[in-house]
């Protein structure tokens, strides 16, 4: 994942290598977009937050949409990569379910608030943005479906549907947990929440027999 780093200790006006400058601009833009949303955010705000002139910002990104998509692309890559690592972390399927659910909760709970750009974007009618957001569901579901298909006798279409359902459960519950921490879920920790949801998911998906399990006559 491309790392964003807004170094407050670095003097303004210092010339940075292009890669470092890009990361700095993305970090500043992420903060502004999360705080204000896409439509309310202005390139002036982002340049000021990064401590650069607007022409410098435009040298790296031709417009606000391109800047937003660059952040969104990195955010989507992070979620998909976390899902992949969770699935590869163990061969125990019950633990896989728990790790995958937790991957979504960990991302949503990250202090950057980047999840809002993926799951709560105010630009979902923009085809390019919609494509990025859908990619999270599709690619995470593909990873999960591959595991389900390998371990059970379910056909690909059924494996895919179950995988999409698991991704949806993880996404929606994690967002609800995060946005409702000042309400009824204030006393529910991340560990408690993921234990509840992964337990629910495992009771469902765990009911499908493994390929090498003996069948009852």
């Amino acid at each position: 994942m491309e790392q964003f780093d807004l170094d407050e200790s670095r003097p303004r006006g210092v010339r940075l290598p292009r890669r470092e400058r890009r990361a700095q601009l993305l970090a500043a833009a992420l903060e502004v977009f999360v705080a204000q949303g896409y439509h309310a955010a202005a390139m002036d705000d982002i340049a000021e937050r990064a401590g650069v002139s607007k022409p410098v910002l435009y040298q790296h990104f031709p417009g606000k949409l391109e800047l937003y998509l660059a952040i969104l692309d990195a955010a989507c890559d992070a979620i998909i990569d976390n899902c992949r690592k969770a699935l590869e972390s163990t061969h125990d399927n019950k633990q896989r379910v728990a790790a995958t659910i937790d991957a979504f909760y960990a991302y949503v709970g990250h202090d950057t608030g980047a999840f809002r750009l993926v799951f709560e974007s105010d630009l979902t009618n923009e085809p390019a943005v919609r494509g990025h957001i859908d990619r999270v569901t599709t690619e995470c579901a593909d990873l999960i479906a591959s595991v389900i298909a390998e371990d059970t006798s379910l056909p690909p279409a059924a494996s895919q549907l179950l995988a999409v359902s698991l991704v949806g459960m993880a996404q929606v519950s994690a967002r609800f947990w995060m946005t409702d921490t000042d309400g009824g879920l204030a006393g529910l920790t991340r560990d408690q929440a993921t234990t509840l949801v992964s337990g629910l998911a495992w009771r469902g998906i765990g009911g499908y027999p493994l390929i090498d399990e003996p069948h009852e006559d």
Side-chain angles (χ1 to χ4, degrees):
M1 173 186 174
E2 188 169 4
Q3 297 296 314
F4 304 155
D5 180 20
L6 189 58
D7 188 349
E8 300 284 3
S9 65
R10 193 189 296 273
R12 294 193 171 198
V14 173
R15 182 178 294 275
L16 299 177
R18 184 173 181 83
R19 185 172 181 177
E20 285 188 42
R21 178 66 76 193
R22 176 184 169 87
Q24 179 198 33
L25 296 174
L26 288 171
L30 174 60
E31 291 185 8
V32 173
F33 283 134
V34 168
Q36 301 181 20
Y38 177 83
H39 294 293
M43 293 292 271
D44 286 323
D45 299 329
I46 295 168
E48 181 179 356
R49 181 72 187 95
V52 301
S53 65
K54 196 155 69 167
V56 169
L57 181 57
Y58 279 112
Q59 286 175 8
H60 292 263
F61 301 98
K64 186 168 72 168
L65 178 59
E66 288 77 13
L67 179 52
Y68 187 85
L69 290 175
I71 297 173
L72 190 58
D73 197 43
C76 293
D77 285 344
I79 300 171
I80 295 164
D81 189 52
N82 289 347
C83 183
R84 179 182 294 105
K85 288 177 180 177
L87 291 169
E88 293 174 350
S89 65
T90 178
H91 291 293
D92 182 295
N93 285 331
K94 184 176 181 179
Q95 293 179 17
R96 273 175 169 165
V97 169
T100 303
I101 297 290
D102 186 64
F104 283 91
Y105 276 76
Y107 188 81
V108 167
H110 197 279
D111 58 9
T112 63
F115 82 96
R116 299 187 185 281
L117 302 186
V118 182
F119 300 133
E120 299 175 5
S121 174
D122 58 352
L123 199 62
T124 53
N125 289 332
E126 168 62 41
V129 173
R130 183 74 258 165
H132 279 68
I133 295 171
D134 289 344
R135 183 166 70 86
V136 171
T137 299
T138 300
E139 294 195 20
C140 286
D142 286 346
L143 293 169
I144 296 169
S146 178
V147 173
I148 294 173
E150 287 175 4
D151 287 355
T152 71
S153 57
L154 292 172
S159 298
Q160 191 73 24
L161 181 59
L162 288 174
V164 169
S165 299
L166 288 172
V167 170
M169 180 186 294
Q171 286 183 13
V172 174
S173 65
R175 288 164 53 200
F176 182 77
W177 168 77
M178 183 64 187
T179 56
D180 200 45
T181 50
D182 292 330
L185 301 182
L188 203 59
T189 66
R190 173 180 142 196
D191 285 344
Q192 290 171 329
T194 56
T195 296
L196 282 170
V197 176
S198 62
L200 174 63
W202 176 246
R203 284 180 179 89
I205 196 69
Y208 294 95
L210 300 178
I211 290 175
D212 57 359
E213 287 185 347
H215 295 281
E216 295 182 1
D217 294 330

